[in-house]
Amino acid sequence: MAERRYIDAINLAHHEEFARDDRVVVLGEDVGRKGGVFGATAGLLEKYGEERVIDAPLAESSIAGVAIGMAANGLLPIAEFQFADFIHPAFNQIVSEAARMRYRSNNAFGCPVVFRTPYGGSHGTALYHSQSIEAFYAHVPGIKVVAPATPYDAKGLLKSAVRDPDPVLFLEHKRMYRIVKGEVPDDDYTVPIGPAAVRREGKDLSVFAYGWMLHEALQAAETLAGEGIDAEVVDVRTLAPLDTTTILHSVAKTNRALIVYEDNRFCGYGAEIAALIAEEAFYDLDAPVIRLGGPDVPGIPFSKPLEEWFFIDRHKIADAIRRLAAL
């Protein structure tokens, strides 16, 4: 089994799905000759041609709308947005059209579109290239939202998303593209959309994270193991639908919960997990649920010191774990 980078696992999933089903197409800005802004679609144009690999104008609403039209006519489109910040012009197409297609048609039609986009901050990308958008879309019934954290999951979940009969928003924290590596089978496999994964067993408290935050949480947990605090780390990985069973089982086991996410803390995705635990597992808790999210400022600053101030890292997570363990 080969070790691959996160971005290479995504590229491999594209190639395998293109070879598996000739209805699969990709469209977006620079997905053809350039191979995508980060290389996710590299090699597809040379192998499959311009009818299946379509460079689109700088018009995100059009990219989403055309993809929805393709799906309505029997294709399986993957629409790439270069950065999550650019997806906002397509919000109405995704929410009002794609997400509601099955409900509006009384279950007569689905809308099998994958909307792929990098999200999150890294390396001074600042405003317009660093936003976390998951809470906007996880709020909307009718669209699934996934945020894989490992190369294995990136390939398996993207293949599941392509084969899903309804729209899927596929989020890739761009810090992981070339840093995170892992074993990825060359065989055809899928990772089901829905189940979370316990990445580290523990007994003292539970940490819930996804995307890049999972890796920071795992490193924090390993550090604190040396201090006698045994943290369980759960990779949420599918934000909608949410795996409530795994979350509640973990809380029942450890009796304490910390939720970590990079998005602004106020009304961020972690609030949903916190509410779930409060409603369904209140009597399992020995301490209040803690949310550790990004500061409530409009965007991640360009300045290096201010960027570091914004980021949730292993040190901040470790501090939160110590605080929770002491309650």
Side-chain angles (χ1 to χ4, degrees):
M1 188 183 303
E3 183 177 80
R4 300 180 188 276
R5 300 179 302 179
Y6 187 90
I7 186 66
D8 297 330
I10 291 170
N11 179 253
L12 181 60
H14 277 88
H15 277 272
E16 289 184 2
E17 289 305 288
F18 264 68
R20 183 188 62 84
D21 192 329
D22 61 11
R23 294 177 301 161
V24 179
V25 299
V26 65
L27 68 160
E29 297 152 4
D30 292 327
V31 298
R33 300 189 187 283
K34 184 176 175 59
V37 66
F38 291 103
T41 57
L44 292 175
L45 178 65
E46 294 79 0
K47 193 178 296 184
Y48 297 101
E50 293 180 342
E51 287 192 357
R52 296 181 64 188
V53 185
I54 303 165
D55 276 324
L58 296 171
E60 284 77 14
S61 180
S62 173
I63 292 171
V66 169
I68 293 167
M70 287 176 163
N73 284 278
L75 298 178
L76 300 176
I78 305 170
E80 177 181 294
F81 300 94
Q82 290 193 333
F83 293 91
D85 316 58
F86 303 166
I87 204 171
H88 298 317
F91 184 85
N92 185 54
Q93 290 286 350
I94 296 171
V95 172
S96 296
E97 304 300 334
R100 292 171 179 160
M101 188 75 74
R102 187 170 295 282
Y103 191 77
R104 177 188 293 125
S105 67
N106 195 28
N107 202 31
F109 305 103
C111 187
V113 180
V114 181
F115 300 107
R116 275 192 49 247
T117 189
Y119 77 103
S122 69
H123 307 103
T125 49
L127 297 170
Y128 302 114
H129 300 87
S130 299
Q131 293 182 37
S132 295
I133 61 166
E134 59 268 31
F136 295 133
Y137 293 92
H139 172 73
V140 179
I143 184 167
K144 301 178 179 71
V145 181
V146 300
T150 69
Y152 183 93
D153 279 1
K155 178 184 169 183
L157 276 168
L158 181 53
K159 291 164 78 71
S160 291
V162 171
R163 302 175 193 186
D164 197 283
D166 294 303
V168 179
L169 178 61
F170 193 89
L171 298 173
E172 306 154 13
H173 196 294
K174 60 181 177 291
R175 186 177 287 204
M176 298 191 293
Y177 278 148
R178 289 171 174 77
I179 295 176
V180 175
K181 300 177 182 178
E183 292 187 339
V184 179
D186 291 326
D187 301 335
D188 179 30
Y189 72 92
T190 60
V191 174
I193 296 173
V198 178
R199 301 297 188 189
R200 186 185 191 282
E201 295 278 353
K203 60 180 175 57
D204 293 332
L205 55 87
S206 300
V207 182
F208 301 101
Y210 52 90
W212 176 248
M213 291 296 98
L214 172 74
H215 300 282
E216 297 284 356
L218 286 169
Q219 294 198 38
E222 290 304 317
T223 297
L224 292 173
E227 301 177 15
I229 301 174
D230 188 15
E232 180 154 295
V233 181
V234 178
D235 180 1
V236 178
R237 70 178 174 179
T238 294
L239 310 186
L242 180 62
D243 181 358
T244 58
T245 301
T246 297
I247 291 171
L248 295 176
H249 182 269
S250 182
V251 172
K253 174 183 174 184
T254 68
N255 311 120
R256 285 177 165 79
L258 168 66
I259 306 151
V260 181
Y261 53 106
E262 186 178 294
D263 195 7
N264 302 120
R265 183 176 182 274
F266 182 80
C267 279
Y269 186 78
E272 181 61 34
I273 298 178
L276 168 72
I277 296 169
E279 290 176 347
E280 303 292 338
F282 181 79
Y283 294 106
D284 289 326
L285 292 172
D286 288 340
V289 177
I290 292 180
R291 287 178 294 153
L292 180 61
D296 291 321
V297 296
I300 297 179
F302 173 76
S303 158
K304 185 66 174 175
L306 289 176
E307 184 187 59
E308 290 177 355
W309 166 78
F310 183 98
F311 283 150
I312 305 297
D313 60 15
R314 65 207 66 176
H315 305 295
K316 293 178 182 177
I317 297 171
D319 288 342
I321 291 175
R322 291 188 188 97
R323 181 156 50 96
L324 179 59
L327 291 175

